[in-house]
């Protein structure tokens, strides 16, 4: 099969273009789209490399899902509605089983959010996947990292640490209660980008980021960009029942603060918008936790809600 045949079989025909926003999709030198009116475009790209971003044992379905999910997560963190993606795929060989499963994972997530694949590239080499995702945001409503203000409340969606626990488990470094094993592993293999929640935060959050590298690192990006500090209460970190059941609290806190790949959103909210925000998230059936507050003083303080300082294994973390 030629490169053209593979594209046609797996990528071009699976994707029916509708509406007039995509004038030319796959098949020409470049895609042509109609720029949405009264909107700004958010553009992001991410590469996954075998052995670096996913284990060599990862399933093709999961790789297809995750490669798209991490890009949609970045759009969600900006408050963008995903529209189009391009896909550059480097494969060591043409393996039809692998390609079918990859496409199943990729397109089932793409269809869920009505994201259109409008172009890409296919080459031979060590397995890697690069996706570029483009989304739209109403003018001036994008959620940035640089706009958190002192006294804003800090929230996270969902639960933290599950993907990190799953990775440790696969590396034989952690126990997972068998009853919860598949749910926890799914958090690593098939993260669910918070696409709808990100859009719902547009007029409510003052700053946002997605948690790809761990809460401390990613909240740290908001603090640096906004030139503020924060106090985070470690006993308010949200854990899944599976994580709580599998590890001592101290380990759960360490995972929640430092492990990556959860793809939840971390965002800040002015105190006067707290009620509206919580009403909105509840209506979306989104689990949320208020874990702390932004401070003027530019350092990151970890403590318990009763004021006791946190002296866990990551005490001494210095972001500034
Ligand atoms: Mg990100």
């Amino acid at each position: 099969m030629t490169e053209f045949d593979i594209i046609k079989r797996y990528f071009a025909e699976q994707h029916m273009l509708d509406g007039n926003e995509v004038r030319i999709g796959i098949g020409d030198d470049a895609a042509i789209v109609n720029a949405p009116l009264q909107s700004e475009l958010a553009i992001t790209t991410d590469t996954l490399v075998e052995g670096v971003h996913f284990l060599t044992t990862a399933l093709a379905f999961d790789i297809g899902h995750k490669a798209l999910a991490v890009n949609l997560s970045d759009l969600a963190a900006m408050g963008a509605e995903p529209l189009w993606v391009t896909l550059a795929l480097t494969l060591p060989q043409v393996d039809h089983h692998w390609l079918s499963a990859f496409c199943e994972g990729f397109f089932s997530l793409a269809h869920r959010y009505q994201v259109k694949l409008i172009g890409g590239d296919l080459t031979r080499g060590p397995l890697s996947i690069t996706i570029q995702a483009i989304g739209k945001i109403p003018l001036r409503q994008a959620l940035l990292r640089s706009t958190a203000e002192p006294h804003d409340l800090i929230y996270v969606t969902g639960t933290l640490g599950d993907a990190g626990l799953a990775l440790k488990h696969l590396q034989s470094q952690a126990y997972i209660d068998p009853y919860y094993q598949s749910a926890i592993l799914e958090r690593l293999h098939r993260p669910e980008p918070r696409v709808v929640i990100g859009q719902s935060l547009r007029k409510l959050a003052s700053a946002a980021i997605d948690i790809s590298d761990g809460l401390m690192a990613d909240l740290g990006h908001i603090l640096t960009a906004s030139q503020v500090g924060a106090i985070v209460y470690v006993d308010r970190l949200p854990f899944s029942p599976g994580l709580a059941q599998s590890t001592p609290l101290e380990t759960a806190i360490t995972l929640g603060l430092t492990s990556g790949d959860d793809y939840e959103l971390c965002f800040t909210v002015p105190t006067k918008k707290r009620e509206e925000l919580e009403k909105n998230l509840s209506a979306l059936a989104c689990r949320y936790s208020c874990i702390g507050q932004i401070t003027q003083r530019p350092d990151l303080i970890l403590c318990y809600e009763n004021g006791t300082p946190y002296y866990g294994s990551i005490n001494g973390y210095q972001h500034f």
Side-chain angles (χ1 to χ4, degrees), residues 5-309:
D5 293 332
I6 294 166
I7 290 170
K8 200 166 166 211
R9 170 158 166 193
Y10 290 100
F11 298 100
E13 292 188 345
Q14 284 205 17
H15 208 80
M16 307 306 289
L17 299 172
D18 51 6
N20 59 3
E21 64 191 16
V22 179
R23 196 154 73 75
I24 304 289
I26 294 169
D28 210 315
D29 293 304
I32 304 288
V33 296
N34 292 335
L37 297 173
Q38 298 299 316
S39 297
E40 294 176 315
L41 293 178
I43 303 168
T44 183
T45 187
D46 239 310
T47 297
L48 299 192
V49 176
E50 179 174 42
V52 179
H53 301 96
F54 56 89
L55 302 173
T56 48
T57 51
L59 301 175
F61 182 101
D62 295 341
I63 296 169
H65 174 102
K66 190 163 180 173
L68 180 56
V70 301
N71 281 279
L72 298 187
S73 178
D74 276 328
L75 290 184
M78 306 299 292
E81 175 192 338
L83 296 176
W84 310 302
V85 289
T86 63
L87 167 67
L89 196 52
T90 304
L91 300 172
Q93 72 269 319
V94 176
D95 174 338
H96 291 288
H97 288 291
W98 193 94
L99 271 166
S100 299
F102 175 89
C103 285
E104 229 182 288
F106 178 92
F107 283 111
S108 59
L109 181 62
H111 289 162
R112 199 171 327 146
Y113 294 109
Q114 295 173 359
V115 181
K116 292 174 180 142
L117 179 68
I118 57 170
D121 188 30
L122 189 61
T123 48
R124 192 181 288 265
L127 180 59
S128 90
I129 304 103
T130 297
I131 289 178
Q132 181 175 56
I134 302 159
K136 69 172 178 180
I137 314 172
L139 288 178
R140 314 295 293 173
Q141 286 187 25
L143 302 169
L144 309 181
R145 297 178 178 185
S146 55
T147 39
E149 298 275 351
H151 310 299
D152 287 353
L153 302 167
I154 303 167
Y155 282 81
V156 292
T157 59
T159 59
L160 301 177
D162 293 327
L165 177 64
L167 183 61
K168 275 184 179 290
H169 176 77
L170 293 176
Q171 295 166 335
S172 308
Q173 292 168 15
Y175 166 83
I176 303 178
D177 185 316
Y179 180 79
Y180 296 105
Q181 230 167 67
S182 64
I184 297 270
L185 290 172
E186 180 144 325
R187 290 293 310 271
L188 176 68
H189 294 314
R190 297 181 198 174
E192 194 58 42
R194 305 300 178 200
V195 173
V196 178
I197 292 157
Q199 292 169 60
S200 80
L201 296 177
R202 275 176 198 153
K203 288 179 173 167
L204 297 168
S206 51
I209 194 166
D210 65 322
I211 304 177
S212 53
D213 297 332
L215 175 66
M216 286 301 91
D218 291 313
L219 174 60
H221 292 314
I222 290 184
L223 303 185
T224 306
S226 300
Q227 297 183 291
V228 292
I231 182 162
V232 169
Y233 304 106
V234 295
D235 44 353
R236 286 203 201 164
L237 298 179
F239 301 122
S240 68
L243 186 131
Q245 203 65 242
S246 304
T247 65
L249 182 60
E250 197 51 42
T251 311
I253 290 174
T254 305
L255 284 168
L257 290 170
T258 60
S259 73
D261 265 358
D262 281 321
Y263 298 101
E264 296 294 349
L265 298 178
C266 173
F267 54 95
T268 60
V269 177
T271 48
K272 63 174 192 288
K273 291 188 175 172
R274 171 178 209 152
E275 215 174 306
E276 193 186 346
L277 170 96
E278 296 193 354
K279 217 173 78 188
N280 262 29
L281 292 181
S282 300
L284 292 171
C286 169
R287 178 169 175 179
Y288 59 85
S289 309
C290 180
I291 59 163
Q293 197 158 18
I294 297 291
T295 57
Q296 190 107 47
R297 223 184 95 152
D299 52 12
L300 179 51
I301 295 164
L302 299 174
C303 66
Y304 294 88
E305 226 174 325
N306 66 11
T308 314

